Amino acid sequence: MKIVIVGGGFAGINLAKDLAGNKNFEVTLIDKNNYNFFPPLIYQVATAYLEPSSISYPFRKLFSRTENVRFRLGEVLSVNMAENKVVLHNGELEYDRLIFATGAETNYFGMENVRKNSIPMKTLNDAIEMRNKLLQRMERASICKNSRERRKYLNLVIAGGGPTGVEVSGMFAEMRNGVLKREYPELSTSVSNIYLVDGGDALLSPMSRQSQEDTLQALTKMGVIVKLNCRVTDFIDDTVHLNTGETIPSKNLIWAAGVSAKIFEGMPAESYGRGRRMNVDAYNKVAHTENIYSIGDTCIQLTDAAFPDGHPQVAQVAIQQGKNLAKNFKNEQKGKPLNAFKYNDKGSMAIIGKNKAVVDLPKPKMHFKGFIAWLMWLFIHLMSLISYRNRVTTFYNWMTAYFSKDQSLRMIIRPDKRAKS
Amino acid sequence: MKIVIVGGGFAGINLAKDLAGNKNFEVTLIDKNNYNFFPPLIYQVATAYLEPSSISYPFRKLFSRTENVRFRLGEVLSVNMAENKVVLHNGELEYDRLIFATGAETNYFGMENVRKNSIPMKTLNDAIEMRNKLLQRMERASICKNSRERRKYLNLVIAGGGPTGVEVSGMFAEMRNGVLKREYPELSTSVSNIYLVDGGDALLSPMSRQSQEDTLQALTKMGVIVKLNCRVTDFIDDTVHLNTGETIPSKNLIWAAGVSAKIFEGMPAESYGRGRRMNVDAYNKVAHTENIYSIGDTCIQLTDAAFPDGHPQVAQVAIQQGKNLAKNFKNEQKGKPLNAFKYNDKGSMAIIGKNKAVVDLPKPKMHFKGFIAWLMWLFIHLMSLISYRNRVTTFYNWMTAYFSKDQSLRMIIRPDKRAKS
C-alpha cells in the first residue's frame, strides 16, 4: 500500500517511524526541508544559545536503515483526488493513502505591515534570520550617535504570550543583563526595553491560573514590560502601534501571536473548518474524502468528548495522532477494528529564565515552579530530541551556557543580503 | 596610540591579541563579519562534517575582557592618507597606525563563466553555500530519470591541487562509498566521478616529493581521477572545459585554484606588487606610506633571505607576522630597536582521508604519512582552534564521524533562494 505523508514534523515523523519496517507499506515522506526540527527550542536558536544542527536532523539519515520509507524533497502544489496523485513543484506521486501533516504557519491576521516588517518565529530559517537580524541591529546601535534612534534598534516588542513569547522574552531579559553589558561596552549607558504583548487577560492561556501568575511575576521581576489585553494593530516607520493607542519606538517586532493552517488546491472547500484546519473524523480521515487523512496542527477533530472545540495545537496531540493513525493503518491490514483518537494530556510547561519554569501536570493535578520545574523542563526537552547526537550537543551547550553564564554562538552567518537591517 | 586593524584572520587576530591589555594602544579591529573563523577546516563545513560554529568565534566575545580592544563591523571602502582616516561603508575611523590584514580572495583569472557558475571555497559563507548547493543537487539527481542528466548532478570537478583541493576530494571519495550509498538508495546504480585538476606537475606543490607521491597514490586508490598539467579554461552549459581539449559533464565545479589580494582606494598604486599584494619592508610597513602596515596573505615581503620570492600564503606566516608587528609596536614605544621579520617554517601537512595524511617537518627534515601523520594533523588542527568550546565540539564531531563512519549535519539550511540549484 502506497502511503504518502506530506510534512515531517511531530505528526508526520511519528506516523512514518511507526510504519517503518512493515513491508505492507511503501511510505514516501515529502517535506520542503531535508530535515526534521524541534520547534519547542527554536527560540534558543534565535537567541544564539543553540546551533541549528542541535535541534534538527536529516530525514535521509533518519530513515537510512528502513527500506520501506523513502524521502522526497518537494513542496506540494495540489492534489488530484480523481487520480489519487499529489502534485509537487518537482514532479508527482501516486498514493493509496495521502496524509497531510503540514502543521501551521504564521498568521498575521491580514496586517500587511506586520507581515512585511516583523520577525516570525515558526521555522528554523525564521530563527536563524532572527539571530542575524538582531545581531546586525546591535552592531548598528553600537555606532549610532543619536540616542532616540539607538533606542529603536534596542527596544524589543514580542507579540504573543504563549510559550514562545514567554520564553523568548525571558531569554532576552537575561541577555540584557549579562552578554549585552560585557560585549557591547558602547551601549552600556543605553536604555533597552523588552515588551511582551498579549490580547488575552493572562500569559500562557491554556495553563493553570497559578502558572500564569508565577510567570507574570517572574517576567516582571526580570524587567519585562508585560501588556495584557493589548494587541498590535500596525508596525510601520519603526513604530509598533497598539490597540490602546500607545506606540512603541522599535525596529524589532517578534511575531509569535498566531498561526493558521494552509489550503491545498484540489481539496474540497468543505473539508476545511475553523482556522483553515482540515475537518477530520475520529480516525483522522478528512471530511469529504475517501483516502486522505490529516494529523497534527493542520487538522481539527471535534469527536473527542473531552475537547469539544478541538484539541490544542501542541506537540503531544500531533505525536499521538501520528501514532494512532499508524496503528489504524496496521489494524486495517489485519482486518481489526480501528481506534478512535483520544488525546492523553501529559501536561504543559514553559521556561521563564535561568532556574525558573512552570509545569502543570493533569493526573494527578499538580503545579511546579522554580528550580524543580526548570529541571523538569530541561529533562523533558532533552529527551524529546530526535537523536543521541542532538541530545549530547544540546546538553553540552546548555551546560556551557549555565556555568559560563554565556554562550559563544553569536555569529552573523549567511545574512540575507536583500534584507535591510 | 590609535591602532586600526582591518581584518580579523590569523594575522589580524594575533596582532590584536598581543596588543590586548597594553594601555598604550587603543585598538580597533574592523571586519566585515562579526566572527573569526579557521580557514583550514572550512572544507569540513562544506562537506557537512563540522558545523560553522565549531570553527568560528565572535570577535566581541573574544575581546569582551580586554578594554583596549574594540570591535567594529564594517567594510573598508578607502583610505584617506592625508588625514589618517579609514573610510568604512558605515562611518570612518582615525588612526595613528593602520594595518591591513585583509587576506586574499578567490581568483578566477578573468574567467567570467567560472566566476558565475563555480563554487568557491574561501570563506565560511562559501562553505555553507557549497553544502547547501551539493545537497540540493543530490536531491535533484535522486528524482532525475535521465542517466546522462543525472551524471551532471553527481560528477564533481575540483580545480586546484593544494591542501583544500586534496582534502575536499578525499572527503568526497569517502562519502561516495559510505553516506551516498546508504542515504540515497535511488542513486545506488548511478555513476559519479570525482576529478581533481591541477595546472602543475604535482599535487601539494610546496610539499616534499614524497608527500606529493603519497598523496597522488592515496587519492587514486580512493577512486579520485587526478589530472595534472591540466587547467580549466571554461565552465558553461554544465560542462567543464579543460586546456587539453577534454570536457567533463558536471554542474559542480569547486574552485580552489587561486587567490588574489584586494586593491584599496586611496593607497598609492606603487604600494602594490605581485598578485596585488602590498609590498612591505622587513618590518611589514607598506612601501610609499608612513604609518600603514600590512601582514599575512595580503602582503609580500622580499627581505627575508630564505624566501627571495616572498613567503608562502599560509597561516603560519600570517600568525608570525602579526606577533612580530605587535612586538615592534611595543619596542617602538619603549625606544627599543625593531625586529626584522624572519619566517620560522614549522612544516606543512594535508589530510587525504580517514587514517591518511602527509606531514613534512623542516627541522629535522622528516616526512610522515598514514595513520601517524593523520593523528598529527588532527592534533595540530584541534589545538589551533580559537576556543575551548570550538575544540570540544570539533573533537566530538570528529569522534562521531570516525566511529559511526557518518555524520548527521546534512541539513540544507538557509539556501540562497536566488541561486539556481
Side-chain angles (χ1 to χ4, degrees), chain B residues 106-124:
Chain B
T106 306
N107 187 355
Y108 299 97
F109 304 104
M111 292 180 283
E112 196 51 25
N113 289 326
V114 174
R115 190 190 63 74
K116 272 201 319 238
N117 304 321
S118 73
I119 304 174
M121 276 278 284
K122 190 79 188 128
T123 68
L124 199 55

Side-chain angles (χ1 to χ4, degrees), chain A residues 137 140-141 144-155 191 237-238 249-252 421:
Chain A
R137 286 173 187 171
R140 289 287 295 272
C144 183
K145 303 273 188 289
N146 176 323
S147 71
R148 274 177 76 114
E149 195 60 30
R150 193 161 58 230
R151 189 173 296 194
K152 289 183 185 174
Y153 284 105
L154 298 176
N155 277 347
V191 180
D237 296 336
D238 302 336
S250 174
K251 287 178 180 284
N252 315 300
S421 58

Side-chain angles (χ1 to χ4, degrees), chain B residues 306-318:
Chain B
F307 298 87
D309 297 329
H311 302 108
Q313 287 168 293
V314 297
Q316 274 301 323
V317 173

Side-chain angles (χ1 to χ4, degrees), chain A residues 229-246:
Chain A
N229 297 307
C230 179
R231 278 179 297 103
V232 170
T233 54
D234 205 353
F235 180 39
I236 192 164
D237 296 336
D238 302 336
T239 308
V240 178
H241 295 260
L242 304 176
N243 67 337
T244 55
E246 199 185 347

Side-chain angles (χ1 to χ4, degrees), chain B residues 75-208:
Chain B
E75 194 158 358
V76 169
L77 300 183
S78 65
V79 183
N80 183 338
M81 282 174 54
E83 296 181 30
N84 286 332
K85 274 182 186 169
V86 59
V87 182
L88 309 181
H89 82 286
N90 55 6
E92 49 181 50
L93 286 172
E94 286 179 16
Y95 62 80
D96 296 313
R97 297 281 186 279
L98 175 65
I99 299 95
F100 281 100
T102 40
E105 50 187 22
T106 306
N107 187 355
Y108 299 97
F109 304 104
M111 292 180 283
E112 196 51 25
N113 289 326
V114 174
R115 190 190 63 74
K116 272 201 319 238
N117 304 321
S118 73
I119 304 174
M121 276 278 284
K122 190 79 188 128
T123 68
L124 199 55
N125 280 341
D126 289 346
I128 300 171
E129 179 98 8
M130 172 166 151
R131 179 197 292 198
N132 285 338
K133 267 195 183 154
L134 295 185
L135 286 169
Q136 286 173 307
R137 286 173 187 170
M138 294 288 292
E139 293 295 338
R140 289 288 293 274
S142 74
I143 56 172
C144 183
K145 303 274 187 286
N146 177 324
S147 72
R148 276 177 74 112
E149 195 61 29
R150 192 162 58 231
R151 191 175 294 194
K152 289 184 186 171
Y153 284 105
L154 296 177
N155 276 347
L156 295 168
V157 183
I158 297 113
T164 299
V166 164
E167 286 164 352
V168 86
S169 337
M171 193 69 120
F172 282 133
E174 279 180 348
M175 289 174 85
R176 180 174 55 176
N177 300 327
V179 173
L180 197 122
K181 286 221 171 90
R182 267 201 308 281
E183 297 193 7
Y184 295 84
E186 303 93 328
L187 301 174
S188 55
T189 59
S190 307
V191 180
S192 78
N193 285 325
I194 301 168
Y195 301 87
L196 176 60
V197 175
D198 192 273
D201 57 4
L203 296 171
L204 301 173
S205 63
M207 290 192 76
S208 68

Side-chain angles (χ1 to χ4, degrees), chain A residues 216-271:
Chain A
L216 179 61
Q217 206 184 352
L219 284 179
T220 307
K221 206 170 151 192
M222 290 160 82
V224 176
I225 303 167
V226 180
K227 291 182 175 289
L228 296 172
N229 297 307
C230 179
R231 278 179 297 103
V232 170
T233 54
D234 205 353
F235 180 39
I236 192 164
D237 296 336
D238 302 336
T239 308
V240 178
H241 295 260
L242 304 176
N243 67 337
T244 55
E246 199 185 347
T247 58
I248 305 170
S250 174
K251 287 178 180 284
N252 315 300
L253 172 60
I254 293 159
W255 193 253
V259 295
S260 141
K262 240 185 295 196
I263 301 276
F264 289 91
E265 211 182 296
M267 291 291 291
E270 317 86 76
S271 298

Side-chain angles (χ1 to χ4, degrees), chain A residues 360-376:
Chain A
D360 290 336
L361 295 185
K363 309 166 265 206
K365 212 175 171 69
M366 285 175 86
H367 166 80
F368 298 89
K369 69 169 184 173
F371 188 68
I372 175 81
W374 183 77
L375 282 182
M376 290 167 78

Side-chain angles (χ1 to χ4, degrees), chain A residues 34 51 53 60-61 125 128-129 139 183-184 186 389 397 406 408 410-414, chain B residues 34 51 53 56 60-61 125 128-129 139 183-184 186 389 397 406 408 410-414:
Chain A
N34 77 334
E51 266 304 86
S53 64
R60 286 190 180 271
K61 184 157 165 73
N125 281 341
I128 300 171
E129 178 98 9
E139 293 296 338
E183 296 192 7
Y184 295 84
E186 303 93 329
R389 184 192 180 282
N397 275 316
D406 198 355
S408 52
R410 284 179 297 282
M411 279 79 74
I412 303 171
I413 286 182
R414 277 183 74 73
Chain B
N34 78 333
E51 264 305 85
S53 64
S56 59
R60 285 191 181 270
K61 183 156 166 73
N125 280 341
I128 300 171
E129 179 98 8
E139 293 295 338
E183 297 193 7
Y184 295 84
E186 303 93 328
R389 182 190 183 284
N397 275 316
D406 197 358
S408 53
R410 285 180 297 282
M411 278 81 73
I412 303 170
I413 287 182
R414 277 184 76 72

